[in-house]
Amino acid sequence: MAKKSEQKVRVTLKRSLIGRKPQQRRTVKALGLGKIGSSAEHVLNPSIKGMIDAVSHLVKVEEL
């Protein structure tokens, strides 16, 4: 269970993965995203923040 002080974010895939590098495709899949419009909720920690930064041009991030 997440602590009350931990910040959660919703990550939504907004751009296509067609023509993207394999590393970016793997990062998006590791975030739990598949098709355009799919969303996943994560607790914001350094590893998730780094993954979001790597594919920031493909996703939309909302704080919860």
Side-chain angles (χ1 to χ4, degrees):
M1 178 175 267
K3 296 178 187 176
K4 290 183 180 180
S5 63
E6 291 181 340
Q7 184 180 8
K8 293 192 81 171
V9 293
R10 176 179 294 130
V11 184
T12 305
L13 185 61
K14 288 295 179 183
R15 303 286 309 263
S16 173
L17 297 177
I18 295 172
R20 303 296 175 184
K21 294 180 180 182
Q23 185 172 357
Q24 291 178 347
R25 289 175 182 244
R26 289 191 303 265
T27 301
V28 168
K29 186 169 182 174
L31 284 169
L33 306 174
K35 297 181 178 182
I36 294 175
S38 62
S39 297
E41 293 182 6
H42 296 282
V43 173
L44 193 59
N45 57 40
S47 61
I48 296 295
K49 178 140 178 39
M51 291 167 42
I52 291 170
D53 289 344
V55 294
S56 61
H57 56 289
L58 301 174
V59 298
K60 175 181 156 189
V61 181
E62 303 171 75
E63 294 182 11
L64 299 178

